[in-house]
Amino acid sequence: MKQNDYGIFLHRSSFSESSVIATFYTKNGGLQKYLFQGAKKKNHTLFPLNVCEFTYYGRPDSELKKITQADSAVVLDDILMNPLKSIIAFFMADVIRQALNSTEKEEQLFNFLVQSIEALNKTNDVANFPLLFLVKFTPWIGIQPNAIDEQILYFNLRDGEFHADYRAGEWCIEGDLAKGLSELFEMNKVEAKFKKQMFDVVLNYYELHIPRFDVSRSLSILKETLT
């Protein structure tokens, strides 16, 4: 039976000479993989974070659904034409794919991701965009840090808490960097002198809280480009 859906393209792996297994985060089915026959000849739609409207069908004897048609649903010309934005999109797609595994419908999350993609397409502040996306994504995946105390002196990565009292342990950030991270999560404020450190800390935080989170490949390309 043929069905229609919207999806954010995240990843593809080769299946045959002309076909791929395409991973999308979809509006109606969460994270899904599809066989897309002939996609290597129609790859104009399969670039990272492209928002697609597609038709697919599934058979009772197969878990893998098949896409028969996919078209861009949102104009993302700047992401497609701007090399730096394309690399950021590749990194974001990797983060989304590593952080999400639910096949449940979460339309609000889907809308947040589409809005983030449209913001990347329009923004002039590309240098701060990857860090701000990581921060804004944390509530949607259930790992947003909490401020336990009004005065922020420490950030405990393992507990996900900003607090005033010292707690011994290797996963603790302190001083001005902790305060800067608190302002980053609370107000999306990026302090320039701590930006690189903040980016590394937030990625470490993801790694601590998301099983098997590994974006090393896309991260290395992103860091080479932004430095």
Side-chain angles (χ1 to χ4, degrees):
M1 179 173 131
K2 287 193 176 183
Q3 300 181 66
N4 296 320
D5 204 351
Y6 290 87
I8 298 163
F9 175 69
L10 302 176
H11 181 261
R12 75 179 193 178
S13 56
S14 185
F15 182 80
S16 69
E17 270 191 30
S18 62
S19 302
V20 301
I21 303 296
T23 302
F24 288 85
Y25 187 76
T26 67
K27 183 176 182 178
N28 294 311
L31 195 70
Q32 296 285 341
K33 291 184 178 181
Y34 302 88
L35 174 61
F36 192 175
Q37 293 177 316
K40 292 179 181 178
K41 298 177 182 178
K42 309 172 185 175
N43 62 3
H44 58 287
T45 58
L46 297 186
F47 62 89
L49 297 188
N50 192 25
V51 183
C52 298
E53 181 179 11
F54 59 89
T55 301
Y56 69 94
Y57 72 93
R59 297 185 313 186
D61 60 342
S62 175
E63 291 185 5
L64 191 62
K65 304 176 185 72
K66 294 183 180 180
I67 289 179
T68 57
Q69 179 68 36
D71 299 292
S72 296
V74 177
V75 177
L76 300 173
D77 51 346
D78 214 32
I79 290 177
L80 194 56
M81 301 301 294
N82 184 317
L84 180 51
K85 288 188 178 183
S86 294
I87 290 169
I88 293 172
F90 177 56
F91 171 74
M92 288 172 57
D94 200 12
V95 170
I96 295 166
R97 183 171 64 94
Q98 299 275 348
L100 299 176
N101 55 31
S102 173
T103 56
E104 298 296 320
K105 179 178 180 177
E106 295 186 64
E107 192 169 341
Q108 288 184 319
L109 172 54
F110 179 82
N111 291 339
F112 161 77
L113 292 173
V114 172
Q115 290 165 9
S116 299
I117 294 163
E118 291 176 327
L120 173 61
N121 191 62
K122 294 176 183 177
T123 190
N124 293 319
D125 185 17
V126 289
N128 288 326
F129 201 92
L131 175 57
L132 290 173
F133 172 74
L134 289 172
V135 168
K136 293 174 184 177
F137 194 31
T138 56
W140 295 98
I141 54 178
I143 63 169
Q144 184 179 26
N146 297 311
I148 302 302
D149 301 311
E150 188 173 332
Q151 184 182 25
I152 304 300
L153 299 178
Y154 303 96
F155 176 40
N156 187 300
L157 277 74
R158 187 169 292 281
D159 295 337
E161 293 177 351
F162 291 97
H163 49 78
D165 59 305
Y166 176 74
R167 305 176 193 176
E170 58 181 314
W171 304 112
C172 198
I173 305 296
E174 60 183 76
D176 290 340
L177 179 55
K179 294 177 185 176
L181 284 162
S182 175
E183 292 178 350
L184 174 65
F185 278 97
E186 185 178 353
M187 300 179 289
N188 299 144
K189 177 183 175 183
V190 179
E191 195 166 344
K193 66 178 179 178
F194 290 131
K195 186 172 73 174
K196 288 184 179 180
Q197 289 172 279
M198 286 177 170
F199 190 72
D200 290 339
V201 169
V202 173
L203 277 175
N204 288 338
Y205 182 69
Y206 267 70
E207 290 168 0
L208 277 171
H209 291 274
I210 300 174
R212 297 176 295 281
F213 183 83
D214 181 7
V215 294
S216 53
R217 180 166 171 259
S218 62
L219 178 62
S220 64
I221 297 171
L222 180 68
K223 284 191 169 182
E224 285 177 13
T225 306
L226 291 180
T227 54

